[in-house]
Amino acid sequence: MEKVRLYILLFVGISIVTLVAGIGACSYCYHTAREAIWNHKMESGRRETREIGRLLEEQLDNGQPPQKVIDNLQQSIVNTDAQSEFVCMYDTNGIELCHPDPALVGQKIDAGNSLFIRNGSPAPFSDILHLGKAGTGLRSFPVAKHRSSEIVTVYPVKGSDWMVAAHANVTVLQAQLDNLYHQFMVGIILMVLLISGSCFLLIRLIYGKYERQMDQEILRLNKDLAAKKVAESTRKRLVTYQRDEMVSLEVGDIAFIFLSENSVFVQTFLNQRHTVNTSLDELMKQLDNDIFYRANRQCIVNVNAIKTILVYGKNQLQLVMHPQAPEEIIISKNKAAEFKDWLDR
């Protein structure tokens, strides 16, 4: 349960960090893109009005009547989309000469109709037209609240009092920017999910591998500790008696231990015999089971003292010891398989 909780907290933490970083990056990209689009619209308006203005100048220079030039321009822009971007033409007195909506042709712009904001300085749009100079700015409509602000670029046509104007609806442009922002946000969310999921899976994979290694290491340490405890619990020496003497024997010097006439005897590799006051059951608990084996109820043998193993009777085994045991050491058929496994350690 703790592991699941840890994984959940890890995933949430990575997601929050990635989301915060993503939102910051999205905000930066959005403002950068917004500025780029805004500048592009202004530059596009300048280029469009300049090209149309020069085309009109060329037509006038070729001797075409001014009214014919105006009519040609009106025919080329009539009924075009005036909601987002459009081109029109005024004269310096503020009279509409050409417009996509023919109903507006001939109307004059009032001084209070709109303001033209350029470099932070507002001025009536009619005054900008009256100056007859090229310029780009934001046109707003303080009186007509329902009308959207526009990015307007004006360009004077040489040899006339005409002013070609390119309009870009700010509301439409803002809607495009909002759509761009939403696309950025969707991309950021997908990126957050992808990065968070990838990091989560990668960390879980690395942690899982590390955890398995730690489990193996802990298991190994536990085995070593258990073996150490067993080694510490096994006897190193055994106190025995020989006649009236107390003798301390090294366990490694014992060839076998046997029970005879209710007494426990210890036989050494030097063929010396001693007695002990401990039962075979207790001795077996205290001896190293890798070295000593309880052959039967009467005898414990040291593997190093086994000289020969003979097949005895039906599925029984007989151990020939060195030094020689006082009685035959027989392993019953029930313990024969266990004895073989003990030898194969």
Side-chain angles (χ1 to χ4, degrees), residues 263-295:
S263 296
V264 178
F265 295 92
V266 175
Q267 190 84 14
T268 69
F269 283 100
L270 297 177
N271 206 22
Q272 296 175 345
R273 185 171 297 179
H274 304 259
T275 60
V276 292
N277 295 328
T278 308
S279 67
L280 291 181
D281 291 337
E282 290 298 321
L283 286 172
M284 196 61 213
K285 294 177 182 179
Q286 300 170 8
L287 295 173
D288 187 350
N289 291 335
D290 289 335
I291 303 298
F292 292 90
Y293 181 75
R294 183 74 177 268

Side-chain angles (χ1 to χ4, degrees), residues 231-269:
E232 290 176 351
S233 64
T234 56
R235 278 181 176 268
K236 302 295 187 297
R237 288 177 296 277
L238 185 64
V239 176
T240 64
Y241 299 91
Q242 193 174 40
R243 299 184 183 86
D244 296 331
E245 296 181 9
M246 181 183 293
V247 180
S248 177
L249 289 179
E250 293 290 334
V251 171
D253 294 336
I254 299 174
F256 52 86
I257 306 170
F258 63 95
L259 177 66
S260 178
E261 298 179 355
N262 295 324
S263 296
V264 178
F265 295 92
V266 175
Q267 190 84 14
T268 69
F269 283 100

Side-chain angles (χ1 to χ4, degrees), residues 66-321:
Q67 188 59 46
K68 178 65 174 177
V69 175
I70 293 174
D71 291 342
N72 290 338
L73 179 60
Q74 177 62 27
Q75 289 178 5
S76 65
I77 66 173
V78 69
N79 295 327
T80 56
D81 182 17
Q83 297 300 317
S84 56
E85 300 180 24
F86 66 94
V87 174
C88 65
M89 188 168 69
Y90 308 90
D91 64 13
T92 53
N93 294 320
I95 297 175
E96 196 99 43
L97 300 178
C98 299
H99 194 278
D101 184 359
L104 297 178
V105 175
Q107 294 187 11
K108 184 176 181 180
I109 298 175
D110 296 330
N113 173 270
S114 58
L115 294 177
F116 188 81
I117 303 172
R118 179 171 54 181
N119 299 326
S121 300
F125 185 57
S126 57
D127 291 353
I128 300 299
L129 296 175
H130 185 68
L131 290 175
K133 294 182 179 180
T136 301
L138 182 65
R139 184 185 180 189
S140 62
F141 302 88
V143 178
K145 300 293 185 180
H146 63 282
R147 292 193 61 177
S148 301
S149 299
E150 299 172 341
I151 299 174
V152 178
T153 300
V154 293
Y155 181 85
V157 180
K158 294 179 181 179
S160 70
D161 61 350
W162 302 342
M163 298 288 288
V164 179
H167 300 254
N169 192 307
V170 173
T171 301
V172 174
L173 181 59
Q174 186 61 48
Q176 294 174 351
L177 291 172
D178 290 343
N179 182 58
L180 179 63
Y181 181 77
H182 293 152
Q183 292 178 359
F184 273 140
M185 287 303 298
V186 171
I188 289 298
I189 292 174
L190 292 177
M191 182 189 71
V192 168
L193 293 176
L194 179 62
I195 293 177
S196 300
S198 300
C199 291
F200 174 75
L201 292 176
L202 182 61
I203 292 174
R204 184 173 180 180
L205 180 64
I206 295 174
Y207 179 77
K209 183 178 180 180
Y210 172 76
E211 191 177 40
R212 288 191 295 272
Q213 291 177 346
M214 290 301 298
D215 289 342
Q216 292 176 358
E217 183 66 17
I218 291 173
L219 182 61
R220 185 187 66 80
L221 291 175
N222 287 336
K223 288 182 178 179
D224 292 346
L225 182 61
K228 184 177 180 181
K229 288 182 178 179
V230 170
E232 290 176 351
S233 64
T234 56
R235 278 181 176 268
K236 302 295 187 297
R237 288 177 296 277
L238 185 64
V239 176
T240 64
Y241 299 91
Q242 193 174 40
R243 299 184 183 86
D244 296 331
E245 296 181 9
M246 181 183 293
V247 180
S248 177
L249 289 179
E250 293 290 334
V251 171
D253 294 336
I254 299 174
F256 52 86
I257 306 170
F258 63 95
L259 177 66
S260 178
E261 298 179 355
N262 295 324
S263 296
V264 178
F265 295 92
V266 175
Q267 190 84 14
T268 69
F269 283 100
L270 297 177
N271 206 22
Q272 296 175 345
R273 185 171 297 179
H274 304 259
T275 60
V276 292
N277 295 328
T278 308
S279 67
L280 291 181
D281 291 337
E282 290 298 321
L283 286 172
M284 196 61 213
K285 294 177 182 179
Q286 300 170 8
L287 295 173
D288 187 350
N289 291 335
D290 289 335
I291 303 298
F292 292 90
Y293 181 75
R294 183 74 177 268
N296 50 45
R297 296 179 62 182
Q298 288 78 30
C299 188
I300 298 174
V301 298
N302 187 326
V303 66
N304 298 312
I306 299 174
K307 181 179 180 181
T308 308
I309 302 173
L310 302 176
V311 177
Y312 182 83
K314 189 175 182 180
N315 297 327
Q316 294 179 325
L317 300 174
Q318 179 182 355
L319 304 183
V320 179
M321 308 298 293

